[in-house]
């Protein structure tokens, strides 16, 4: 912590601050400038009482932390990129992984057709929501456990690992029994008890960015997973809420280099929720790959116009095949497989 003292304070006021810093277990380093004095307090802010209350002392101008608030997520804690493995599929390595499938699991026929088609086109992980976080309670809420069973069946038939959303702590064991990766949705990205429950299942956790979440808040939410002894964290950008209404959300691709600088955790981009428009998905995928994304999460439906959720943003089975063919040279140009 850096504690800046106000100008023209007495030596006795300064000594009181120094004494308090020592009392709380930190070592003070006093730097006297022409106009004011600055004290560096050395010590681990995680294991010592906070120095922040000093900010309310009349002789103190400011108290500023120098350590990052996220520790395990930080690149300082793990200088090389980390990888997350789900049923043998490695996310964060040379290979760009493609997670694809319907927004919601609707029926056996819909899921199986999609699973077979996305696998054929080159997807490596199957997505599908069984518990859906819908804005209105009158919209389709997902098939629940029946949807999970269908996902497990699709996995048996295609060999693709599955990612599906965990919506509630109450379902943590149930969803973890079926899923290879748990998705924490944008609306739950700061539901800390849910994050802890997800971490404790031991399954990899894909953490979406909340609709109005700052990057530091997102990194700190990810810290909950790593701090609960689960190294399988993935960050997924899915667009944030801005003043723009042309798109459903504003897909913030700048997080790719930022999260890569700050953290070792793999980055996944979801251009489907990110734009809300199927016609924009290809361009955003190209951009994401060029910027260093480790995986893409893409919504695919056999008949988007009849989808039970997110119809406008889902690509068709043929559209997905075309998309995958389109992306290959971009993946190569980015030095990935
Ligand atoms: C989804 O992936 O279908 C979904 C609901 O995502 P998000 O939480 O990003 O809105
Ligand atoms: Mn969706």
């Amino acid at each position: 912590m850096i504690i800046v003292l106000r100008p023209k304070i007495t030596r006795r006021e300064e000594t009181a601050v120094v004494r308090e810093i020592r009392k709380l277990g930190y070592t003070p380093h006093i730097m006297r400038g022409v106009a004011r004095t600055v004290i560096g307090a050395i010590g681990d802010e995680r294991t010592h009482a906070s120095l922040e209350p000093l900010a309310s002392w009349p002789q103190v101008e400011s108290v500023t932390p120098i350590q990052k608030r996220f520790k395990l997520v930080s690149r300082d804690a793990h200088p090389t990129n980390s990888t997350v493995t789900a049923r043998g599929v490695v996310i964060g390595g040379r290979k760009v992984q493609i997670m694809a499938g319907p927004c919601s699991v609707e029926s056996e026929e819909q899921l199986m057709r999609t699973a077979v088609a996305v696998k054929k086109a080159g997807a490596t992980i199957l997505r599908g929501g069984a518990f859906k976080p819908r804005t209105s309670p009158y919209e389709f809420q997902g098939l629940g456990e029946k949807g999970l069973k269908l996902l497990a069946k699709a996995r048996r038939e295609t060999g693709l690992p599955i990612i599906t959303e965990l919506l509630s702590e109450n379902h943590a064991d149930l969803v973890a029994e079926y899923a290879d990766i748990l998705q924490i949705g944008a609306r739950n990205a700061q539901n800390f008890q849910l994050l802890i429950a997800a971490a404790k299942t031991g399954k990899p956790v894909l953490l979406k960015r909340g609709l109005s979440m700052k990057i530091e808040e997102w990194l700190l939410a990810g810290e909950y997973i790593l701090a609960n002894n689960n190294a399988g964290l993935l960050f997924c950008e899915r667009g944030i809420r801005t003043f723009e209404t042309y798109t459903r959300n504003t897909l913030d691709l700048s997080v790719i280099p930022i999260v890569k600088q700050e953290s070792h955790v793999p980055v996944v981009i979801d251009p489907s929720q990110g734009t809300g428009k199927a016609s924009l998905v290809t361009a955003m995928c190209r951009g994401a790959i060029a910027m260093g994304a480790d995986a893409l999460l893409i919504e695919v439906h056999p008949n988007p116009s009849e989808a039970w959720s997110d119809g406008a943003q889902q690509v068709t089975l043929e559209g997905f095949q075309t998309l995958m063919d389109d992306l290959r040279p971009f993946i190569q140009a980015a030095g990935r497989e």
Side-chain angles (χ1 to χ4, degrees):
M1 285 278 188
I2 300 290
I3 296 118
V4 180
L5 301 181
R6 288 193 194 281
K8 301 199 186 86
I9 62 167
T10 64
R11 193 47 81 90
R12 175 185 283 211
E13 286 170 316
E14 180 188 306
T15 309
V17 174
V18 172
R19 203 177 299 130
E20 181 70 6
I21 292 170
R22 281 219 180 82
K23 198 178 106 197
L24 293 175
Y26 298 83
T27 309
H29 287 266
I30 304 169
M31 295 159 269
R32 281 200 185 82
V34 182
R36 66 189 72 212
T37 297
V38 173
I39 307 173
I42 310 300
D44 194 333
E45 289 150 28
R46 281 174 297 176
T47 49
H48 292 72
S50 172
L51 288 169
E52 262 155 40
L54 280 174
S56 66
W57 289 32
Q59 65 269 52
V60 173
E61 189 167 280
S62 65
V63 177
T64 314
I66 41 174
Q67 281 182 333
K68 290 200 174 117
R69 291 166 76 205
F70 48 91
K71 318 279 174 194
L72 302 171
V73 155
S74 164
R75 205 171 260 288
D76 300 341
H78 192 293
T80 58
N81 293 337
S82 58
T83 59
V84 173
T85 305
R87 269 185 196 256
V89 174
V90 180
I91 305 155
R94 249 180 83 78
K95 193 164 171 185
V96 175
Q97 302 296 354
I98 311 289
M99 309 174 177
C103 175
S104 301
V105 177
E106 298 168 9
S107 68
E108 178 162 351
E109 204 240 329
Q110 172 245 18
L111 183 65
M112 295 307 157
R113 268 187 72 195
T114 311
V116 169
V118 298
K119 161 123 196 214
K120 183 164 161 275
T124 47
I125 296 170
L126 176 66
R127 70 148 282 152
F131 291 96
K132 294 302 299 178
R134 303 310 299 278
T135 300
S136 160
Y138 307 117
E139 291 165 343
F140 176 56
Q141 304 285 310
L143 296 181
E145 188 169 6
K146 184 169 164 231
L148 297 174
K149 290 203 158 91
L150 292 175
L151 284 165
K153 183 159 187 219
R155 173 175 56 206
R156 274 199 304 280
E157 293 196 2
T158 60
L160 294 175
I162 56 183
I163 174 168
T164 194
E165 179 159 351
L166 172 64
L167 207 51
S168 156
E169 281 164 75
N170 299 335
H171 303 147
D173 293 334
L174 173 71
V175 178
E177 195 184 312
Y178 293 93
D180 300 302
I181 304 175
L182 302 175
Q183 172 175 321
I184 300 293
R187 290 154 191 82
N188 269 319
Q190 283 182 302
N191 181 342
F192 301 119
Q193 294 305 317
L194 179 64
L195 295 178
I196 293 168
K200 288 191 170 157
T201 66
K203 289 286 166 97
V205 177
L206 176 141
L207 176 61
K208 297 253 195 144
R209 182 180 181 186
L211 280 83
S212 60
M213 214 176 188
K214 294 203 241 176
I215 293 170
E216 193 196 19
E217 292 169 331
W218 189 25
L219 296 173
L220 282 165
E223 189 78 10
Y224 272 86
I225 305 299
L226 299 189
N228 282 279
N229 297 317
N230 184 329
L233 175 63
L234 304 164
F235 282 118
C236 178
E237 163 67 32
R238 47 78 72 206
I240 50 174
R241 177 148 309 171
T242 68
F243 52 83
E244 183 54 73
T245 52
Y246 188 90
T247 45
R248 180 182 181 193
N249 292 294
T250 297
L251 185 62
D252 180 8
L253 291 182
S254 72
V255 303
I256 302 170
I258 295 169
V259 173
K260 294 267 165 204
Q261 274 166 26
E262 294 290 342
S263 170
H264 53 90
V265 172
V267 178
V268 183
I269 296 295
D270 173 351
S272 305
Q273 331 298 320
T275 61
K277 290 186 176 175
S279 63
L280 297 175
V281 167
T282 301
M284 300 319 281
C285 287
R286 292 174 179 166
I289 285 164
M291 292 179 73
D294 295 297
L296 301 170
L297 180 67
I298 302 168
E299 288 187 348
V300 184
H301 193 285
N303 190 357
S305 61
E306 284 178 16
W308 297 2
S309 60
D310 289 351
Q313 68 195 33
Q314 305 206 55
V315 299
T316 61
L317 306 185
E318 304 72 41
F320 182 70
Q321 175 72 60
T322 310
L323 168 64
M324 291 294 283
D325 294 341
D326 180 282
L327 292 183
R328 272 188 194 95
F330 287 87
I331 291 173
Q332 249 177 1
R336 308 288 286 263
E337 285 166 25

